[in-house]
Amino acid sequence: MGATHHLSSGLTPAQLAQFNKDGYLILPDVLSPETVQSLLAETHRLLHEELDLSSHPLTKFSTGGADDREHVGDAYFLGSGDKIRFFLEEDAVDPEGRVTRPKERAVNKIGHYLHELSAPFKAVSATEQEEDEAGSRQTPAGIARSLGYRDPRVLQSMAILKQPEIGGAVPPHQDSCFLYTDPPSAVGFWYALEDATLENGCLSFLPGSHRWAPIEKRLVRRRAGVGDEQAGGTEMAANEGPRFPLGDEYGEDKKGEGKGEYVAGEVKAGTLVLIHGNLLHKSERNTSQKGRIIYTFHIIEQEGTAYDGKNWLQPPKEGFTKLYA
Ligand code: FE2
């Protein structure tokens, strides 16, 4: 890369082509070591200063399937879109509901409004974020412009801790099932704050699946629009809207290119991984002694799309956070 050529904060043409082909893109060193340290320090501060397990509803979040619906669906989860809340590893809670380890080793996830309520996390996606002095680091706004977003909005920010020994697996899924717009428009920004390896449950991806894997089902609020909206929990329901973003490159007929194999994405701390909302991806259990802390948020297109009223996450009073100035 030339010293002065790539002052843009977006993707190079080659990177954009790679993302369009594979449905994900690994960008090393997007976060400086100092930024990584500040985000890890903030994660630990939140655990130590903001989490009181004695008053915690022992909410567990899992994308694991029907058996976990009741856990997913409670009000603590559904009300977290504009708050900082803590979700526990399933294996950190015994059948009687007691937490079996220190709180900093029990939390799976902190979410879902870090990008507004936590200054260090907010800085990652802040509007008109300044580039670093080298001018070479890519910003969410610059990347979103490269991807063609007109009015991207930031939502569902999370620190995911994937704890040593008990960090749960995440089965294959597509992020647009959780943040559905008509037509689908979600992209995930996923930042490694610690090295993610095969041993501690790094992501893996099914390359190209964003072009042929439809959004067939999606997570909806059971009682959307009916009285107490946080009482009914969530469930998976058939998607009756568009199953792909607009574009000739998408469609179930593209499956002829083959389903292929999942490819593991081992990455160093500071790496950004972009994940298309239709891309099938997953991660394995962390059975190692090393944690795997990451920060992720998503963007959706606000202009010309409809954000679905049955999505688990509904806009805060002030609306979803603008990414562009
Ligand atoms: Fe995901």
Side-chain angles (χ1 to χ4, degrees), residues 82-324:
D82 59 356
K83 298 181 185 69
I84 294 177
R85 287 184 168 175
F86 300 86
F87 302 89
L88 305 179
E89 292 280 3
E90 287 197 26
D91 288 354
V93 183
D94 72 13
E96 283 74 49
R98 290 180 300 238
V99 178
T100 57
R101 55 196 69 218
K103 64 180 183 178
E104 62 275 13
R105 285 293 179 107
V107 170
N108 163 264
K109 180 180 300 186
I110 308 172
H112 291 90
Y113 213 33
L114 294 170
H115 63 283
E116 285 289 349
L117 300 181
S118 159
F121 285 112
K122 182 173 184 172
V124 176
S125 55
T127 303
E128 303 214 85
Q129 181 193 14
E130 292 186 10
E131 295 174 33
D132 75 342
E133 287 175 13
S136 62
R137 291 213 163 92
Q138 290 156 311
T139 64
I143 291 168
R145 285 201 172 87
S146 297
L147 295 176
Y149 281 83
R150 298 177 299 269
D151 181 11
R153 301 299 178 105
V154 179
L155 67 174
Q156 194 178 261
S157 49
M158 312 179 259
I160 300 177
L161 286 83
K162 186 95 69 170
Q163 295 284 353
E165 297 177 344
I166 60 166
V170 178
H173 68 279
Q174 300 154 291
D175 290 350
S176 279
C177 296
F178 301 91
L179 300 170
Y180 186 75
T181 59
D182 179 354
S185 66
V187 164
F189 285 65
W190 186 103
Y191 295 89
L193 304 183
E194 296 180 315
D195 296 349
T197 65
L198 289 171
E199 288 69 37
N200 70 5
C202 66
L203 292 175
S204 58
F205 316 93
L206 193 51
S209 59
H210 65 301
R211 286 182 274 119
W212 57 257
I215 305 302
E216 290 181 320
K217 292 187 172 175
R218 57 194 198 82
L219 188 76
V220 297
R221 292 187 179 223
R222 279 207 189 98
R223 297 179 58 191
V226 184
D228 182 357
E229 300 201 357
Q230 296 186 356
T234 58
E235 63 188 349
M236 296 303 287
N239 172 28
E240 283 155 14
R243 295 175 166 210
F244 293 96
L246 297 175
D248 292 341
E249 64 270 42
Y250 299 107
E252 289 172 62
D253 57 325
K254 310 290 183 196
K255 209 169 186 170
E257 298 174 20
K259 277 193 165 182
E261 302 268 327
Y262 277 83
V263 174
E266 291 193 289
V267 298
K268 294 285 187 197
T271 299
L272 166 61
V273 184
L274 298 177
I275 306 171
H276 187 289
N278 275 61
L279 186 80
L280 284 160
H281 60 287
K282 63 179 181 176
S283 67
E284 306 302 331
R285 198 173 159 77
N286 181 10
T287 54
S288 79
Q289 298 300 313
K290 283 192 171 174
R292 193 218 69 177
I293 299 179
I294 68 98
Y295 174 56
T296 185
F297 60 82
H298 297 75
I299 62 172
I300 51 115
E301 177 63 82
Q302 179 97 350
E303 189 179 310
T305 73
Y307 188 82
D308 199 277
K310 294 202 289 289
N311 285 335
W312 87 264
L313 178 60
Q314 290 300 310
K317 291 182 297 292
E318 56 274 25
F320 289 130
T321 304
K322 278 177 176 277
L323 188 57
Y324 294 166

